[in-house]
Amino acid sequence: MEEEFLHFIWTYQLFDHTDLTSINGEVVQIIHSGIHNTNSGPDFSEARILIGANLWIGNVEIHVNTSDWFLHQHQLDAAYSNVILHVVYNHNTENWEKDQATYIPLIELKKRIDLHKYHEWKKLKTKKSWIPCESLIHNVPPIVISQMINRMAIERLERKVKEVEILVDRLNGNWENALMQSIVSALGSKVNKDVFHSLALILPFTLLKRFENDQEKLDALIFGIAGFLDGNLRDKYPRALQKQYFFLRRKFEFISIKPERWKFMRMRPSNFPTIRLGQLSSLLSSWTSICDLVFYKKDISLLEGGFRKNIDPYWDSHYRFDVRSSDKKIQMGESMYNSILINSIVPFMYAFGRRHDNEEIKSRALSFLEIIKPEKNAVIEKWNLLIGNSFNALESQGLIELKNNYCSFKKCLSCKVGIWILNNK
């Protein structure tokens, strides 16, 4: 027997309650099992339990064996002083009431649990498939799967919102600066994620705002601080940026990125960091209107014009400074644009709405996830094979969260799908 399974049994009260008594013969009636605590301290809080003629409200602690109470030294921990019921699978300590300074009622579940569920759960845990229930999920009602996906989508969004709130607080409440840093970090994708994050931390937001209507200065600041304007440059465009950047650097003393940190290998030229930096500069030239749309306006479709506008014509024939390439029109792809909406814009909207107690903005953020196209990646492709296609970003975000933080850790007892399977085997 494992304690994790006992927590599941207690949460859903999946044991025989007939003539339930404590080891001292007191009649026990569970009014409310309590709130599951995943942090330190007793396993369940705010439980309501009728013991004999008295209603008790407090904590419940669960162990496989009674002796685990002493093994974990709960008798020495003040956090366990409000435990009103000790629940064990196997009562293996004689004179439990005499070992306690103050007696805590105890019930044993060994003969009250259907071990068939336990064995089925163990089978799920030992599965080597992509997800534990891969061979069984086709039996689960779609409504159960949908409910779990939606719950996971909200969990994922909540985690991102907390990250936004931490960033905003670190920047003393400057929402625009925090949003800019988040977008810059998102532009790095996987390969250049760390270096784009470093760039986000050192870009001078005040100056970028000041030069919003001066594209050349924006380009010079961004490419210069990124480390691409040092050394000998031949083409007219980078030489002009270099001259502008050197002037600004003498005046403002910038910190810059070492150019060798940027990676160009094993990626499409359209994803090269130079192209992403050009797109960043272009969107910052529309920064005021972008922020207005994010925080105050309703039509998110207007954002696309600011994010997917054409960058400097130089990049139509180059992917790197001084290196000629075939002609093409450079514009941020739909996939990258949607990724920024999902991972930066929507969490910022929701966090802004929560911080300002504005339910309309929070609701708008969620509605945007319902109209944005789902991500395209290996995780979503596999889910689509198992349960059918996801139709929007809300669903795909939920599926990613479900796989990464539940299925991969085999948290079947915390999953609606897993619970349905165990209850219907």
Side-chain angles (χ1 to χ4, degrees), residues 61-77:
E61 181 66 8
I62 295 178
H63 290 119
V64 174
N65 297 306
T66 308
S67 57
D68 292 338
W69 179 278
F70 303 101
L71 183 65
H72 301 159
Q73 298 190 330
H74 294 330
Q75 74 277 15
L76 305 178
D77 191 340

Side-chain angles (χ1 to χ4, degrees), residues 260-302:
E260 58 267 23
R261 290 187 61 191
W262 297 99
K263 296 180 178 65
F264 289 82
M265 299 295 291
R266 294 186 295 277
M267 68 175 69
R268 295 178 181 177
S270 59
N271 291 329
F272 278 3
T274 44
I275 300 302
R276 293 292 183 224
L277 293 171
Q279 291 167 344
L280 170 63
S281 181
S282 180
L283 73 88
L284 287 176
S285 69
S286 304
W287 187 247
T288 298
S289 61
I290 286 174
C291 287
D292 194 43
L293 285 167
V294 169
F295 296 123
Y296 303 109
K297 295 295 191 297
K298 293 184 178 182
D299 191 355
I300 199 170
S301 64
L302 298 175

